[in-house]
């Protein structure tokens, strides 16, 4: 098997460390590995697959010209500045920030839904928002079978979605200390505020879910709305998804279609208290779907409960899956 030179930009962060874990677990074909981070982390040693690597300071002079794939998770500012510089040296950048997602020339990809769009890349590919990623496989199934008319999201997002500082705030609150990153205490609380508020009263996180869903599914006129809430859970996002479909459906057929879809695990046996939960999704790469039931208040209405590990499938794993698709389709 051909091997590839891979760079991880933001290698010391929560997602960057998970990139390395996922690359190892999935036996990604790596020839050379280059780990980049800020100047304050330069020179630190990181272990990967039995070998020790030194963190390289991220600056233009240190960008290698033999990199095939660069996995970015270092914030929007870094991605905006350095993504094009890596791409200019013929690396394919898979970026985890929001900066490129709605660029019309940048594919926004969930491999279970729109891998064909990778063929249109010009050196940069965007990884969607964590909450968007986990709902897309199920919505793709429903769109192909019945057509989507309207989607309503209510999210329950873990503190790990804020990175290490979110985890630190939760743990500090449990010790009786105030939050440093969140505007309120998150322990024993819910905060309906993720990212900044816009003039229309929505947060950027909510608008991301709306716009990204439309782009990934290729449905620019799909009616979508969202309310995003931070919850005192360490790892794993949950999303309540209310869907109106264009055509009538049978619940058994819907459940069977989900069970057959790669990347989805159905957990829906309410008589035995079986349904998706963040604790069970932690450390997994799949999306878990349950509480599958009709919304009897509208014609062709359906309710779903979708849970995933937001750092793995919601970030690192999806990016690595994109890289795997690039190799499979021989476009890297």
């Amino acid at each position: 098997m051909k091997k590839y030179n891979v760079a991880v930009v933001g290698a010391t962060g929560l997602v960057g460390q998970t990139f390395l874990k996922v690359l190892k677990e999935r036996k990604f074909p790596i020839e050379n590995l280059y780990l980049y981070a800020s100047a304050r982390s330069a020179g630190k040693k990181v272990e990967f697959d039995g070998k020790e690597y030194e963190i390289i300071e991220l600056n233009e002079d240190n960008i290698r010209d033999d990199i095939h794939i660069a996995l970015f998770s270092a914030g929007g500012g870094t991605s905006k500045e350095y993504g094009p510089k890596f791409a200019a040296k013929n690396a394919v950048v898979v970026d985890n920030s929001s900066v490129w997602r709605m660029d019309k020339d940048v594919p926004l990809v969930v491999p279970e839904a729109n891998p064909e769009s990778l063929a249109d890349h010009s050196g940069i590919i965007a990884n969607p928002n964590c909450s968007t990623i986990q709902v897309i496989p199920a919505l793709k199934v429903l769109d192909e079978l019945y057509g989507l008319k309207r989607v309503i999201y209510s999210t329950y997002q873990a503190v790990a979605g804020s990175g290490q500082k979110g985890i630190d705030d939760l743990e500090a609150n449990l010790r009786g200390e105030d939050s440093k990153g969140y505007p309120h205490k998150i322990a024993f609380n819910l905060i309906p505020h993720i990212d900044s508020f816009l003039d229309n009263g929505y947060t950027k996180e909510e608008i991301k879910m709306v716009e990204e869903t439309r782009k990934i599914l290729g449905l620019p006129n799909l009616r979508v709305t969202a309310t995003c809430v931070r919850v005192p859970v360490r790892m794993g996002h949950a999303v309540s998804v209310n869907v109106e479909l264009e055509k009538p459906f049978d619940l058994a057929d819907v459940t069977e279609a989900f069970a057959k879809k790669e990347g989805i695990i159905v957990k829906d046996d309410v008589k035995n208290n079986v349904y998706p939960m963040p604790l069970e999704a932690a450390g997994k790469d799949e999306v878990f779907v349950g509480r599958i039931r009709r919304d009897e208040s509208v014609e062709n209405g359906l309710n779903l409960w979708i849970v995933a590990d937001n750092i793995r499938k919601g970030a690192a794993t999806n990016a690595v899956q994109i890289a795997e698709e690039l190799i499979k389709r021989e476009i890297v």
Side-chain angles (χ1 to χ4, degrees):
M1 179 186 291
K2 182 180 177 181
K3 293 189 176 182
Y4 298 83
N5 296 334
V6 176
V8 174
V9 180
T12 58
L14 188 58
V15 174
Q17 287 292 295
T18 309
F19 278 145
L20 296 176
K21 185 182 296 185
V22 173
L23 287 166
K24 180 180 178 180
E25 290 176 3
R26 296 176 75 91
K27 296 179 171 59
F28 196 87
I30 296 175
E31 181 68 39
N32 294 300
L33 180 65
Y34 306 115
L35 305 181
Y36 291 89
S38 65
R40 67 178 178 271
S41 296
K44 290 182 179 179
K45 301 293 195 302
V46 173
E47 189 275 334
F48 174 78
D49 201 17
K51 293 175 63 177
E52 194 172 65
Y53 293 83
E54 187 172 302
I55 297 293
I56 304 166
E57 180 181 347
L58 180 63
N59 61 50
E60 192 166 358
D61 293 337
N62 286 339
I63 301 174
R64 297 289 299 253
D65 57 10
D66 62 343
I67 297 168
H68 298 109
I69 298 169
L71 305 175
F72 268 64
S73 187
T78 298
S79 294
K80 189 171 185 178
E81 179 180 357
Y82 283 97
K85 292 176 180 178
F86 275 76
K89 294 201 173 188
N90 296 317
V92 180
V93 173
V94 183
D95 180 45
N96 197 55
S97 81
S98 63
V99 72
W100 301 108
R101 290 176 187 161
M102 297 314 299
D103 188 310
K104 63 181 178 60
D105 297 320
V106 175
L108 182 67
V109 179
V110 175
E112 294 91 342
N114 63 332
E116 68 284 348
S117 67
L118 290 170
D120 298 325
H121 83 78
S122 299
I124 298 177
I125 297 159
N127 208 34
N129 181 54
C130 47
S131 294
T132 307
I133 286 173
Q134 72 185 66
V135 300
I136 289 295
L139 291 183
K140 181 67 174 179
V141 170
L142 295 174
D143 185 48
E144 288 180 339
L145 292 176
Y146 309 106
L148 296 174
K149 185 175 181 181
R150 187 182 186 213
V151 180
I152 303 170
Y153 297 128
S154 299
T155 75
Y156 304 72
Q157 295 179 226
V159 295
S162 302
Q164 186 61 47
K165 66 180 185 293
I167 296 172
D168 291 345
D169 267 4
L170 176 58
E171 292 177 350
N173 292 171
L174 292 172
R175 296 192 300 267
E177 301 167 13
D178 289 336
S179 297
K180 292 182 178 179
Y182 295 131
H184 306 281
K185 286 187 175 180
I186 184 61
F188 312 109
N189 198 19
L190 301 174
I191 304 176
H193 174 186
I194 300 177
D195 210 324
S196 57
F197 280 100
L198 303 171
D199 290 342
N200 63 1
Y202 285 81
T203 63
K204 285 185 178 180
E205 183 83 357
E206 291 158 353
I207 297 303
K208 285 176 196 173
M209 290 198 73
V210 171
E211 294 180 340
E212 291 176 22
T213 297
R214 291 169 175 162
K215 181 175 179 178
I216 297 165
L217 295 176
L219 299 172
N221 298 315
L222 180 64
R223 290 187 290 170
V224 189
T225 190
T227 300
C228 295
V229 181
R230 188 72 68 194
V231 300
V233 170
R234 182 182 176 89
M235 189 80 68
H237 289 353
V239 186
S240 170
V241 186
N242 178 270
V243 186
E244 286 185 60
L245 301 170
E246 295 284 1
K247 301 174 185 176
F249 63 90
D250 181 87
L251 273 179
D253 292 341
V254 169
T255 302
E256 182 180 3
F258 287 155
K260 289 180 177 178
K261 177 69 171 177
E262 183 179 0
I264 290 179
I265 293 178
V266 174
K267 294 181 71 70
D268 193 36
D269 180 8
V270 294
K271 291 181 179 178
N272 291 299
N273 300 325
V274 174
Y275 27 70
M277 294 182 291
L279 279 176
E280 294 181 345
K284 309 287 199 319
D285 290 331
E286 296 83 8
V287 168
F288 296 84
V289 181
R291 298 297 315 279
I292 304 167
R293 63 204 189 278
R294 287 187 181 276
D295 175 358
E296 297 177 348
S297 70
V298 294
E299 187 176 11
N300 303 326
L302 181 69
N303 282 305
L304 307 171
W305 176 250
I306 302 178
V307 176
D309 184 319
N310 56 296
I311 300 299
R312 289 187 65 105
K313 180 54 182 170
T317 300
N318 198 75
V320 173
Q321 287 176 311
I322 288 171
E324 290 170 343
E325 281 289 334
L326 290 169
I327 292 172
K328 177 182 175 182
R329 293 167 184 267
E330 299 181 342
I331 47 178
V332 62

